[in-house]
Amino acid sequence: MEQLNTEPTKTTANAQKPFRMSVLVCAGTGCVSNNSFKVMEALQDEIKKHNLEKEIQIVGTGCNGFCAEGPLLVVQPDEIFYAQLKVKDIPLLVEEHFLKGRPVEKFMYTPPEGEVAIPKMSDIDFFAHQRLIALRNRGLIDPEKIDEYIGRDGYTAIAKALTEMSPAEIVQEIVDSGLRGRGGAGFPSGVKWQLCAKQDSDTKYIVCNADEGDPGAFMDRSIIESDPHSVIEGMLIGAFGMGASEGFIYIRNEYPLALERLHVAIEQAEKYGLLGENILGTNFSFKMNVVRGAGAFVCGEETALIASIEGKLGEPRPRPPYPVESGLWGKPTNINNVETWANVPIIIDRGAKWFASIGTETSKGTKVFSLVGKINNTGLLEVPMGITLRDIIYKIGGGIPNGKKFKAIQSGGPSGGCIPEDQLDLPVDYESLSEAGSMMGSGGMVVMDEDTCMVDVARYFLTFTRDESCGKCAPCREGTWQMHEILTKITEGNGTLNDLAVLEALAEVVKDTSLCGLGQTAPNPVITTLRYFRDEYLAHIEKKECQAHVCRELNTYIIHGDVCKTDGKGCGVCRRECPDKAITGEKGKAHVIDQQLCGKCGVCYDVCNFNAITIE
Amino acid sequence: MSEQFEPKIVAFFCNWCTYTAADLAGISRMKYAPNVRVVRLMCSGRVDPQFILAAFRDGADGVLIGGCHPGDCHYQEGNYKALRRFHLLKPVLEEMNIEDERFRLEWISASEGDKVQKVINEMVEQITKLGPLDLEPISTPETLDEMLEKEQEIAV
Amino acid sequence: MISLKINGKPIQVESGTTILQAAKQLGFEIPTLCYHPQLEPYAACRVCTVEVKNEKGNKLMTSCNSIVEDGMEVQTDSDAVAQARKINLQLLMAQAPAAEIVSEMAANYGVGDTAFLSENAEEKCILCGLCVRACEQVAGTSAIGFANRGKDRVVTTPFDVQNEACITCGSCAFVCPTGAITMDDPFGREVIHDEMTLGPDKAITVPFMQAVPNAPAIDTEACIHFKTDACGLCAEVCEPEAIDYSQKDEIEEVEVGTILLATGFKTFDASRIAKYGYGKLPNVITSLEFEKLSNASGPTGGDILMQDGSVPKSVGIIHCVGSRDDNYNKYCSKVCCMYSLKIAHLMAEKTGAEVYNFYIDMRTPGKGYEEFYERLLEEGMHLIRGRAADVSDWAMNEDEEGKLVIRAEDTLVGAVRRIPVDMVVLAVGLEPQPDAEEIRRKFNISCSSDGWFLERHPKLAPVSTFTDGVFLAGSCQGPKDIPETVAQSGAAVAEALALIDRGYVELEPNTAFIYEEECSGCKTCIPLCPFSAISFVEDKNVSEINEALCKGCGTCVAACPSGAAQQHLFTDEQIFEEIKGVLSYV
C-alpha cells in the first residue's frame, strides 16, 4: 500500500495485515506535551471496552509534522486524519468510526479559509506538497520497535554496503548524490567523506551533531524521535565508507524524549547484531556512544563540540587543522548533522542518480524545515530543494492568520537573515538564500507579519547570540554585547544616526574577524534587516516611531473619548488595571491617559473590550 | 718545722690533646702547681700498666693519665684502650693500699688549657692532704739485662 | 621551504612557520595581545589580523596561528586590517578601560576614546588567556582557567576557591600584559628584608657575579619542571642546547695528597637576642641583609628601602651583636666595627639619613682604618658609646610615634638615652659553621675553643693542622677580614704546593715494630690496631707490623704481654728511664 508522498518500500507488498485498522497516534514531543499519551491511553481503554484489541492496532509514532493541529492521529488504511483531539472525544470516535465505520467529521481538519473538513491526509495542503525522504518513516512506525523500521526497508542499505560495495564506492556514491551538509553550512558531504577516508590512521571517529541549538528549531529532534534508526544506519554506512570503528551522537540534554528513543534504538540494534562486533557477520565492527550536551549553543560548532566530547571547556579552536584531519583526540573525525545522516541509507538504497534527480542544480535532495511564527499551518515539513518561498508560506503554510500582511521570513535561525516580500519567488537552495543575505541554516523558518518590528527582531536574535557566545574572541564576546546595547537603545527611542553608523561598522568587523561561525554569523540579522528594512531603523531613530508598535517606549496610548463614553460607558477597567495610575476618569465619562505618568506597558490597550484605545 | 710535703706526680700525656693543652696553658700564662712531671707519649693508648707501677715504685705520689676525649683520639681508639687498662688497674692498686685519688685518668682536649690547670691543682691539693705514698721498696734491677738474668735464674 | 609575499616583499621560510613569525623575519611587527612566543597561539584577541589574498578574494585571518602556504600574498596593514584593528581595540578598551596597553595600541590607529559602552572603569583583564595557558603549559598545573560564557567569562580557580594545585610560581603574573594579575606579599610589604639572605629569586641564575664557572645553574627545589614536569622554556630557548634536565648530582672520588679547608663562617643568628627585635619588628635587619639591599644587582637595585618601600631618614647601627657577650660569644669578631662604619657611611651617602652607632669600643686597627673613622666623625656621624639595651616600637612621646626606639646608656655622657630611628642595622658577629665539628672529625683535625678549626701553632704555624696534609685558610680558623684571608690563603696554598712539589712525605719515625724472636704468636695485638697495620705470618707464627700503615700510637706495644712489640723513640726501656728521670729530682 503506497504511503503518503513517501518512497514506496519493497516489502509492503508482502506485508501481513492482521489488523483491519491501524490507528497511528502522533507521539512526538509537540503532541506529547499536548497530552497525546493521555489520548492514546483513552483509545486503548475504549478499544478494550469494545473488545476490539484483535482488530484495531494502536501505534504511537514519531512526529507527524502538523504540530499546530495536535494531538492528532491517522487511521489507516483509509488515511483519515483527525486533529486537535481531546480525551473526552475518544469514546465517540471509537464508537462511531471504529465500531460503526463512520468517520467523525467534527474531529477532522478544517482549513482556515474554508468551512469543509478534509478527511484524507493526502488531500490536506500541508501534506500534499511535501516530499518525505529524510522523514520517510515519520508518523508510520513506532520508533521504539526496530522490527517496524526493518519492515520499511530498514537496514537493507547497510547490508548492501557491507556485502556488495567497497568503502571507496560508498564514498563515491555520496559524492555523486550531491548531498550537502544539512546542519547549516551546506558543505558537500561527499567531499568531506573523501577527505576523511583519505586520512591514514588506525583510529577514526564518526560524529552526529544533534545539538540543534537554534531557538525554535526541531527538525533533528523530530528525526530522532520518529526514526532514530535512520541516523544509526546512516552512521554505520559512513563508518564503513571512511574506515571508522567508533561513533558519537552528541545530543543536547534538553531533548529527553529523543534521548530515550535513541537509547532504546541503540539497545535494540545491538541485540540484533547491527551494532558492535562483526556486524552482519562481516569484519566490520562499530561501537556507538551517546554524549549529552550541557546547554551551550556554541557546542553545535564542530570544534567546540569536539572539545565538549573530550571533556574540555566548550570553546572553538581555529581551523585549520580541520576535524577530518585532526578532530577528536587528534584523530580524523567526520561530523555530520542528523538530517544528513538520515539521508544516507536511502541514497545507498536507491542510488545517487535518484537522489540527484531531486532538487536544483547545486542543491540536491530535500530539506526539512520547521515553519513557525505568524503562519496558519505551524509544523515540520520536508520539501524538495528549489521550491519557492511563496509556495512554502502560502501553499503549505496556509498563509498569514487573521488577515494580516506578510512582512518577512527569517531563515537560518540566529545566524540567518530576513527576506522581504519582493524576494518570495526565490527558490529555496543554498546559493539563492546566501545571495539574498540570509542562509539555509539548519532549516528554521520564522514568518513575520506587519505586527513585527524588524529592529526588535534583530535585537531579539542578538540577545540569543550574546548569551550563547563562548567569550573566547573579543569581536564576538564584546561585539554581540555592544550591538545588542545599541539596538536596545534604538528600540527605546534613544538611538542616534551615529549609533547606526557604529552599528554597521561593528557588524562588519564582527562578521569578518570572529573566530568561529557563531560570531561570524551573529551580525547577519542586523545586516539583513538594515539591508531590507532600513526605513524602520530610521523611523525609530529620527521619528522615534515603531510602526509595528512592538517597541513600547515609542508607543503613545490614546483613549478615544467618544468611543469610550458611547460604547464603553466609561467602564473604568483600564483605570483599575493601569499600574502607573496614569488613567483618570469617572464611571460613565470618557477616561484620559496622563502621558507623563504612562509607563507604556500596554495593559490598557489589551484589556479594553471596546477598542477605545489606539496606539500612535 | 718539717718542710711542706710536695707530692711528686708523674703525668702521661698524649701528644695531640693533653700535651698541647698543657702547652696552651703555659702560653696563656695559667698558673698551676709545679709538682707534675710530664712524660709525653704519642697516645694515651701507649700507656702500659707497667709504667704506672714503675712510677709508683720509683717514688711518685700520684699518676695522672691524660688523653683525648672519647671519639676524638688522634689514633681513633687508643684512649678507649687506656680507659680499659685504667679500670683494670684501679682495683689492683687498691689492693696495694694505693688511694683512689693518687691514680687519675682525665680527658683533656687540645683547647682545654684551663682543664689542665684545674686538674693538676686539684690533684696536687688532694695528694698533699693524703701525704706521701709509702711503699716498701724492693731491690730493683738496674738494667734490662739484669732483669733478664734474674728471670733466667728463676726459670732455671 | 615555502615562498610567499608579505606587503609585496617576497620571503622564503620553513614550512610550519606562522604568518606572524614570517612577517617578523622581514621586519614587519604585527601587533598582538594574546600571543606569546613560548605559548601555544590562542587567536582570541584578533588584533594580529592580516589580509590574505586567495583565489576567492581577500580574507581576513589571524597571523599568530595561521601557517604560511605557497603563493600567499599577505597585507599586514591594509585598510580592512586597520579598520578591523580599530574596532577590535575599541571593543577591548570598552571592556577593560584600565588596561593601558590596549589604549596605547589603539592610539597608534588614531583612536582616542572608544565608541563603545563601558561597564567597569577599573577592569584590566582583557581575557587574552595568556595566564591560563601559562599555568597549563609552563607551570603544568592548570590551577586557573576560564569560567562562564560570553560577557560573564572570567579567569578564576575552580569554584572560585583557593586551589591547592597553584604552586605560586608567578607565571600568570609574569605573562599578563595588562597587570590584571599581580603577585603581592600577603602582609603588604614592598621590600621583604628577611628573604634577602636566602637564595636567588629565579630557579635558574648564575649564583653570584663572581661564581666559577660563571654559568647559570638550576635550583631543582624551585624549578617548575622538576615539580610538575612542565615548563622547560629554558631548554627551548637555549640555542646551543646546553640545558640537560637529566643531569644528576654526581659523587666523585678524587685521590688527593693535600686538603685545604676554607669552609668559612656563618653570621650570628640575631634572632637569638630577642630584645633587638630581629624577625619580629619591621625594618630591623642584619649587616648581611644590608649588603644585599645595597648591591646594585640586588632586589631593590641598590636603593636602601624600608619594608613599605620608603627611604629611611634615621638609622641606628648596633655593634657587637652576639660578640663580646658572656651570654653568646665571648670573643670579638674583629671585622664588625670596620664594616659597621662602612655601612654607616654608605647609608648616609645613599639616603642622607642621620646615622647613630652604638658601640662598646671602636676597633679600627691597621692601615687607613683610623683615618676612615675620623673622616666619618667629621661628616657628622653620631656615635654613642654604650651597648644598646633594646629596640622597641613603643613610643613614649610624639617624636617616637611609628619609629623604632633604641635604648642605650651613653657612658660618655652618663645618661640613658632613647634614640628613635626608622631602621636598625645589627652588626652581627662571626661564628664557626654549624657543621664544623662534623667536618673536623672527617679530616681528623681538632677544633679550638669556640669551634674554630685548630691551627698547628697560633704564632708559628697558622695555616697547617696537626694532621699532615690538611691545611686551613680563612675564617674557618678564626674571625678575620678579607686582606687577612687572602694572605692566609696564599700561605696555605704555598705550604700545600710545597708538599705536593716534594713528591714524598716524611713519615713520623715513631712507628711500632715487633721483635720476631720474642713474639709468641698470641695475636693480642692484631685486633687492637685501628689502622690494620698488624698482620699474622702463618708460617713463622709471629705477628708483623707494616711500617707504612702504622701511625705510631703505641697501643699494641702497651698490650703486648711479652714485650715483643716496641715503639721507636718510645720503647718501654726509654719510658722507664724517663719515669725514673722525672722522679729523680726534688
Side-chain angles (χ1 to χ4, degrees), chain A residues 299-311:
Chain A
C299 284
E301 196 277 337
E302 54 181 23
T303 57
L305 193 156
I306 286 174
S308 178
I309 295 181
E310 288 175 348

Side-chain angles (χ1 to χ4, degrees), chain C residues 539-575:
Chain C
D539 46 353
K540 291 199 209 156
N541 207 42
V542 293
S543 297
E544 189 182 66
I545 296 179
N546 181 341
E547 236 185 13
L549 290 175
C550 173
K551 298 282 180 251
C553 69
T555 305
C556 54
V557 179
C560 178
S562 54
Q566 287 299 329
Q567 186 178 11
H568 289 299
L569 306 183
F570 290 92
T571 61
D572 284 342
E573 207 181 315
Q574 284 171 315
I575 294 174

Side-chain angles (χ1 to χ4, degrees), chain A residues 430-508:
Chain A
Y430 289 99
E431 274 64 40
S432 312
L433 288 174
S434 293
E435 263 162 38
S438 176
M439 62 190 272
M440 179 84 70
S442 55
M445 287 216 172
V446 184
V447 183
M448 296 164 184
D449 67 6
E450 61 194 78
D451 287 339
T452 312
C453 170
M454 299 317 286
V455 184
D456 185 65
V457 163
R459 188 191 60 80
Y460 167 77
F461 280 117
L462 252 318
T463 313
F464 180 78
T465 40
R466 176 202 66 184
D467 285 344
E468 293 295 331
S469 166
C470 78
K472 178 170 170 177
C473 71
C476 174
R477 177 185 74 236
E478 302 301 323
T480 52
W481 191 82
Q482 296 287 357
M483 283 193 282
H484 181 267
E485 289 296 301
I486 295 175
L487 285 165
T488 307
K489 232 176 129 193
I490 295 176
T491 58
E492 286 174 352
N494 297 326
T496 64
L497 284 173
N498 186 50
D499 286 332
L500 203 60
V502 170
L503 180 65
E504 281 187 288
L506 181 57
E508 288 299 315

Side-chain angles (χ1 to χ4, degrees), chain B residues 9-15 18-19 36-56 60 62-68 82 103-106 108, chain C residues 575-576 578-580 582-583:
Chain B
I9 298 173
V10 176
F12 297 95
F13 281 173
C14 92
N15 175 61
T18 319
Y19 192 79
V36 164
R37 296 117 195 266
V38 176
V39 174
R40 184 178 78 116
L41 299 170
M42 292 314 290
C43 181
S44 54
R46 178 69 186 90
V47 175
D48 195 325
Q50 293 183 81
F51 299 164
I52 294 144
L53 295 173
F56 281 125
V63 172
L64 171 66
I65 306 178
C68 309
F103 180 40
R104 206 162 149 163
L105 172 69
E106 286 296 335
I108 302 176
Chain C
I575 294 174
F576 283 130
E578 261 189 85
I579 295 170
K580 271 219 200 83
V582 296
L583 289 169

Side-chain angles (χ1 to χ4, degrees), chain C residues 306-556:
Chain C
M306 303 210 287
Q307 219 174 61
D308 60 2
S310 61
V311 178
K313 296 207 184 54
S314 51
V315 181
I317 302 179
I318 299 180
H319 292 219
C320 302
V321 175
S323 311
R324 304 189 66 188
D325 198 329
D326 274 344
N327 301 313
Y328 305 101
N329 295 318
K330 288 206 186 144
Y331 56 85
C332 166
S333 291
K334 200 167 187 184
V335 302
C336 327
C337 277
M338 278 319 296
Y339 82 54
S340 300
L341 293 179
K342 174 191 78 173
I343 287 175
H345 181 68
L346 264 177
M347 186 74 86
E349 203 176 67
K350 283 195 171 187
T351 64
E354 294 292 324
V355 182
Y356 299 86
N357 279 268
F358 297 83
Y359 68 98
I360 306 175
D361 293 292
M362 200 54 82
R363 298 188 161 172
T364 58
K367 283 206 272 198
Y369 288 178
E370 182 67 24
E371 294 89 317
F372 179 63
Y373 172 57
E374 283 214 6
R375 176 176 148 201
L376 291 187
L377 287 177
E378 280 161 29
E379 282 174 3
M381 191 181 59
H382 305 278
L383 289 140
I384 294 164
R385 186 181 180 277
R387 183 176 216 145
D390 59 33
V391 176
S392 93
D393 57 357
W394 178 76
M396 220 163 90
N397 55 47
E398 218 174 73
D399 289 329
E400 293 179 1
E401 278 301 326
K403 294 209 189 289
L404 295 166
V405 178
I406 304 178
R407 210 158 53 100
E409 180 192 355
D410 187 340
T411 55
L412 295 176
V413 166
V416 174
R417 292 175 69 178
R418 291 173 66 87
I419 314 280
V421 291
D422 287 329
M423 195 177 211
V424 173
V425 181
L426 301 173
V428 285
L430 278 54
E431 281 182 337
Q433 293 276 19
D435 58 355
E437 201 39 50
E438 192 191 309
I439 299 292
R440 77 135 191 111
R441 267 181 228 264
K442 262 201 191 99
F443 294 96
N444 204 11
I445 58 174
S446 316
C447 278
S448 14
S449 56
D450 301 311
W452 308 102
F453 292 149
L454 184 64
E455 63 285 352
R456 190 180 274 249
H457 194 276
K459 292 189 192 178
L460 305 172
V463 294
S464 47
T465 62
F466 282 116
T467 304
D468 284 340
V470 178
F471 300 95
L472 301 172
S475 47
C476 61
Q477 183 255 337
K480 55 175 66 70
D481 59 11
I482 294 175
E484 280 176 17
T485 304
V486 173
Q488 194 183 29
S489 310
V493 169
E495 285 203 24
L497 279 176
L499 194 59
I500 296 171
D501 229 24
R502 212 184 307 148
Y504 60 86
V505 262
E506 286 173 357
L507 292 176
E508 290 296 303
N510 52 314
T511 51
F513 63 94
I514 293 177
Y515 285 115
E516 238 179 67
E517 321 82 66
E518 305 294 316
C519 178
S520 63
C522 71
K523 297 192 200 170
T524 304
C525 56
I526 296 177
L528 292 177
C529 181
F531 307 100
S532 312
I534 315 179
S535 48
F536 193 66
V537 185
E538 287 290 341
D539 46 353
K540 291 199 209 156
N541 207 42
V542 293
S543 297
E544 189 182 66
I545 296 179
N546 181 341
E547 236 185 13
L549 290 175
C550 173
K551 298 282 180 251
C553 69
T555 305
C556 54

